[in-house]
C-alpha cells in the first residue's frame, strides 16, 4: 500500500518527564508504536490482527517527523530542530519530545498532563507487508515488514481507530477473497469426488 495510514496508542503509557528532570520539565516520552500484535477488528468468521516487525523502521524516512495535535494542528515539535527525537529499541518506536519552546507547546503539555488527550496516533506509509492466515484459530494477521515514511506523532481527541472503520477491512480484502475462493473450490472438488464415488458404487 502507498497511502498514508494511522494507528493510535493510549497516551497513558507516556512519561511526562524523565527521571532526574526538574518538576517543571515539559518533556513527553513514550512509545508511538510497539512490536506487539494487536487486533484491528473481528467479525462473525474471523479476527483480523496486525503486527509491526522490529526491523520495519530500519530504512524508514524519519528525517522530519513532527509532533502535532490531531494530525493537522499546530506543530509543537519536530525532528529537524531537535525538539523531537525518535529511536527504535526492542519494544518499539520510542519518542522523546520537548514541549518547552513555545507557549502553544507548553499548553499542549498541560493538556496532556491534565488528561485532555489520552490517546496518541501516528501517521505512516507501509512499504512491504504480508498477510498470514491461521485457520485453526480463525485469524488473519497483517505483518508490516517495512515502513517507508513516518509523518507525525499526534495526541488526538478522537482517534481514527482502524478497528471500527471499514478501512481496516479493506486491508484484508484480497486475502479474504482468496481464502473464500479456495474454500469454494475445495467444496466443489469434494462434491465431485463424492459424486464419482457414488457412481462407482
Amino acid at each position: 500500500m502507498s497511502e498514508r495510514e494511522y494507528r493510535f496508542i493510549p497516551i497513558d503509557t507516556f512519561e511526562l518527564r524523565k527521571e532526574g528532570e526538574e518538576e517543571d520539565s515539559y518533556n513527553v516520552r513514550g512509545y508511538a508504536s510497539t512490536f506487539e500484535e494487536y487486533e484491528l477488528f473481528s467479525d462473525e468468521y474471523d479476527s483480523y490482527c496486525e503486527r509491526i516487525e522490529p526491523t520495519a523502521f530500519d530504512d524508514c524516512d524519519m528525517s522530519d517527523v513532527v509532533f502535532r495535535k490531531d494530525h493537522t494542528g499546530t506543530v509543537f515539535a519536530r525532528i529537524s530542530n531537535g525538539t523531537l527525537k525518535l529511536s527504535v529499541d526492542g519494544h518499539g518506536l520510542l519518542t522523546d519530545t520537548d514541549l518547552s519552546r513555545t507557549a502553544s507547546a507548553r499548553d499542549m503539555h498541560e493538556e496532556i498532563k491534565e488528561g485532555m488527550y489520552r490517546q496518541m496516533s501516528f501517521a505512516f506509509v507501509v512499504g512491504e507487508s504480508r498477510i498470514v492466515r491461521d485457520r485453526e484459530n480463525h485469524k488473519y494477521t497483517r505483518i508490516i515488514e517495512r515502513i517507508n515514511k513516518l509523518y507525525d506523532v499526534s495526541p488526538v481527541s478522537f482517534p481514527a481507530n482502524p478497528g471500527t472503520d471499514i478501512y481496516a477491512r479493506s486491508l484484508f480484502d484480497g486475502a479474504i477473497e482468496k481464502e473464500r475462493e479456495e474454500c469454494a473450490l475445495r467444496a466443489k472438488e469434494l462434491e465431485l469426488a463424492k459424486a464419482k464415488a457414488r457412481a462407482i458404487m
Side-chain angles (χ1 to χ4, degrees):
M1 293 185 65
S2 59
E3 296 180 357
R4 192 176 306 195
E5 300 184 33
Y6 301 87
R7 297 292 183 275
F8 78 95
I9 58 169
I11 204 165
D12 290 345
T13 61
F14 273 54
E15 300 172 7
L16 291 176
R17 63 189 181 94
K18 291 185 288 187
E19 187 177 349
E21 286 182 333
E22 297 297 327
E23 196 66 41
D24 61 352
S25 167
Y26 290 93
N27 182 270
V28 175
R29 188 171 186 263
Y31 288 91
S33 172
T34 69
F35 302 130
E36 298 170 356
E37 183 174 295
Y38 48 89
E39 184 176 272
L40 290 172
F41 72 101
S42 62
D43 59 23
E44 63 271 31
Y45 303 108
D46 298 284
S47 62
Y48 301 85
C49 301
E50 191 171 67
R51 176 168 56 82
I52 298 175
E53 289 279 57
T55 55
F57 293 101
D58 285 357
D59 297 313
C60 180
D61 179 4
M62 296 189 284
S63 58
D64 198 16
V65 181
V66 298
F67 184 101
R68 57 183 177 177
K69 182 165 56 178
D70 290 319
H71 294 294
T72 58
T74 301
V75 172
F76 302 114
R78 70 189 311 150
I79 290 282
S80 61
N81 74 350
T83 53
L84 175 63
K85 297 177 182 178
L86 301 175
S87 58
V88 178
D89 62 18
H91 185 63
L93 179 67
L94 182 64
T95 70
D96 195 338
T97 311
D98 175 6
L99 295 174
S100 69
R101 299 291 185 89
T102 65
S104 59
R106 291 190 291 274
D107 287 344
M108 183 75 256
H109 181 274
E110 189 66 20
E111 291 181 43
I112 294 171
K113 182 179 178 181
E114 294 302 320
M116 301 300 182
Y117 289 86
R118 302 184 63 83
Q119 291 177 312
M120 194 167 198
S121 179
F122 63 104
F124 62 100
V125 171
V126 171
E128 294 178 14
S129 67
R130 59 190 171 92
I131 295 174
V132 175
R133 168 69 160 139
D134 181 349
R135 291 187 176 88
E136 183 178 347
N137 294 304
H138 303 282
K139 183 174 75 170
Y140 289 92
T141 303
R142 182 188 186 218
I143 300 173
I144 297 176
E145 298 178 318
R146 185 165 61 86
I147 294 176
N148 280 346
K149 185 171 179 61
L150 185 66
Y151 288 94
D152 64 55
V153 290
S154 298
V156 286
S157 48
F158 295 102
N161 182 358
T164 59
D165 196 289
I166 196 169
Y167 166 75
R169 189 179 297 273
S170 72
L171 294 174
F172 295 88
D173 274 350
I176 294 170
E177 177 120 359
K178 182 179 178 182
E179 179 71 21
R180 289 179 181 170
E181 284 176 357
E182 289 175 357
C183 287
L185 181 60
R186 286 195 296 270
K188 187 176 180 180
E189 289 173 346
L190 182 60
E191 284 302 316
L192 286 172
K194 287 178 179 178
K196 287 179 181 178
R198 286 193 294 267
I200 293 171
M201 295 172 63

